Amino acid sequence: MPNTLIFVDMPSDDPAAAGRFYAEVFGWQNDEKPAGVYHRMVPGGQLKNPDGSDSAIGNLHLGIFDAANARPHPQAEGVEPRALATQGRKPRIWILISDDDSADRILAAAEERGATILWRNHYWSTFNGYNHAFQDPWGNEILLWGKAGPDPQVPADFTRE
């Protein structure tokens, strides 16, 4: 049996504000554990079976930790580094756009709350999907993914690869 990815964390210098940001942009539950120290973002719902029914597997959660003192750690005072990474490549978080939502709504909500739009309207043929991206106010890159489906009709204004 393979090892299982269960959680992804990302840093913030204000976990409470980041928790509010993601709750407002994506509609996720902001589970403060405790407030301002560590926030677990719970998207809710279950991964789907091939027939579209809910599986027994819950959607992956996202953690937001305080860059100044990343918890958990054996040393209560934490260790260096204590600052957000502002330059260079970092992990990217991919979010599947729900069938009842849109990239335009998500990007607008993120931008209204301080995010920077990185790109819109790109089609990636390798994985047959539409993608868009923003950088949150803490420097984390969020990529939105939309399934293109069989025989995709890629809009003329989309870039492609």
Side-chain angles (χ1 to χ4, degrees):
M1 182 166 185
N3 295 307
T4 303
L5 175 66
I6 60 167
F7 213 77
V8 175
D9 279 344
M10 63 184 181
S12 171
D13 59 3
D14 188 345
R20 285 190 303 276
F21 176 90
Y22 283 97
E24 292 170 359
V25 170
F26 290 111
W28 296 341
Q29 175 187 338
N30 180 8
D31 188 8
E32 304 167 339
K33 296 209 168 275
V37 175
Y38 192 89
H39 289 244
R40 180 178 67 169
M41 304 309 299
V42 182
Q46 303 296 106
L47 294 175
K48 301 295 181 186
N49 290 314
D51 67 2
S53 63
D54 284 346
S55 75
I57 303 167
N59 283 319
L60 185 67
H61 297 181
L62 176 71
I64 301 171
F65 67 91
D66 186 352
N69 189 351
R71 309 308 316 149
H73 192 277
Q75 297 178 32
E77 67 279 4
V79 295
E80 296 294 332
R82 296 180 186 276
L84 296 173
T86 58
Q87 301 297 316
R89 286 284 175 209
K90 296 173 272 190
R92 301 183 304 172
I93 310 296
W94 290 79
I95 308 294
L96 179 63
I97 302 166
S98 172
D99 290 340
D100 62 354
D101 206 347
S102 72
D104 288 337
R105 192 218 52 85
I106 293 168
L107 291 170
E111 192 170 35
E112 287 170 9
R113 291 160 177 82
T116 301
I117 305 304
L118 300 174
W119 74 79
R120 296 173 184 267
N121 303 340
H122 182 69
Y123 174 70
W124 194 8
S125 62
T126 302
F127 291 98
N128 190 32
Y130 306 116
N131 57 91
H132 324 263
F134 65 86
Q135 184 177 53
D136 74 12
W138 302 275
N140 301 296
E141 290 186 21
I142 308 300
L143 285 77
L144 306 176
W145 185 262
K147 295 176 185 175
D151 190 31
Q153 303 301 307
V154 181
D157 65 331
F158 275 50
T159 55
R160 301 152 197 246
E161 69 179 278

